[in-house]
Amino acid sequence: MPKSDIHPNWSKKTPVLCDGKPLCFIGSTKRELQIDTWLANHPFYTNSQVITDSEGRVEKFMKKYGLSSTGQ
């Protein structure tokens, strides 16, 4: 026989909150879910991305270790 009373309680309508505002309801074992980023405030989807890397990764590596980029 399986053990009884070992599983958490399942809630069918758990609110998903971002900045205290409910976004949707999902099933979960938690009473509420707090998230920081979602589709409406993510920089990728809102076109507010800022690219700060002006130098490529390979160039940074070569410069850091004093290697030449010619392969010798």
Side-chain angles (χ1 to χ4, degrees), residues 23-65:
L23 302 174
C24 63
F25 294 92
I26 63 170
S28 176
T29 58
K30 304 275 186 182
R31 296 184 77 188
E32 67 180 26
L33 300 171
Q34 296 281 342
I35 61 171
D36 296 328
T37 305
W38 68 294
L39 186 71
N41 69 356
H42 191 281
F44 180 79
Y45 298 109
T46 59
N47 291 327
S48 63
Q49 251 181 328
V50 177
I51 299 175
T52 58
D53 188 13
S54 61
E55 193 175 16
R57 290 183 181 183
V58 175
E59 288 80 11
K60 279 185 180 180
F61 178 84
M62 299 299 237
K63 184 174 159 183
K64 180 177 180 178
Y65 293 104

Side-chain angles (χ1 to χ4, degrees), residues 3 10 16 20 50 52 56 59 67:
K3 293 182 180 180
W10 182 258
V16 178
V50 177
T52 58
E59 288 80 11
L67 303 172

